[in-house]
């Protein structure tokens, strides 16, 4: 499950490099992923997740446990 955020489900999307002469070649846009260790007080243990920068902001705002349960309900986190 590489290059996929475990909380938001973000993954690489495709697009084009456009040169000065407007020649288009295919490329990929990868999400800003980081492998981080989070402490979950509800489980009283550390959890290692591969998350995007946006997911980390969501975890700060909504709480780690809420984000993990929401991702597992959506089927993103297994």
């Amino acid at each position: 499950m590489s290059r996929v955020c475990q909380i938001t489900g973000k993954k690489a999307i495709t697009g084009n490099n456009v040169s000065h002469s407007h020649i288009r070649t295919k490329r990929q846009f990868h999400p800003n992923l980081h492998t981080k260790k989070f402490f979950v007080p509800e489980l009283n243990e550390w959890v290692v997740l591969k998350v995007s920068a946006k997911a980390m902001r969501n975890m700060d705002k909504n709480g780690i446990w809420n984000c993990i349960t929401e991702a597992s309900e959506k089927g993103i986190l297994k």
Side-chain angles (χ1 to χ4, degrees), residues 5 7-8 10 32-34 36 38 49-68 70:
C5 177
I7 299 297
T8 60
K10 284 184 172 218
N32 187 12
L33 294 180
H34 302 277
K36 295 221 17 134
F38 298 99
L49 295 172
K50 188 180 281 191
V51 294
S52 63
K54 183 178 178 179
M56 284 192 266
R57 289 172 53 107
N58 284 338
M59 284 192 242
D60 286 341
K61 181 179 178 181
N62 301 324
I64 296 170
W65 183 248
N66 292 338
C67 291
I68 289 174
E70 185 178 324

Side-chain angles (χ1 to χ4, degrees), residues 7-72:
I7 299 297
T8 60
K10 284 184 172 218
K11 57 186 176 182
I13 59 172
T14 58
N16 291 314
N17 278 330
V18 182
S19 69
H20 180 70
S21 61
H22 296 286
I23 295 172
R24 290 171 169 84
T25 55
K26 290 306 236 180
R27 64 160 293 181
Q28 282 193 325
F29 296 93
H30 296 291
N32 187 12
L33 294 180
H34 302 277
T35 303
K36 295 221 17 134
K37 205 161 98 168
F38 298 99
F39 182 75
V40 183
E42 289 80 5
L43 300 175
N44 199 26
E45 62 182 29
W46 290 88
V47 177
V48 177
L49 295 172
K50 188 180 281 191
V51 294
S52 63
K54 183 178 178 179
M56 284 192 266
R57 289 172 53 107
N58 284 338
M59 284 192 242
D60 286 341
K61 181 179 178 181
N62 301 324
I64 296 170
W65 183 248
N66 292 338
C67 291
I68 289 174
T69 54
E70 185 178 324
S72 61

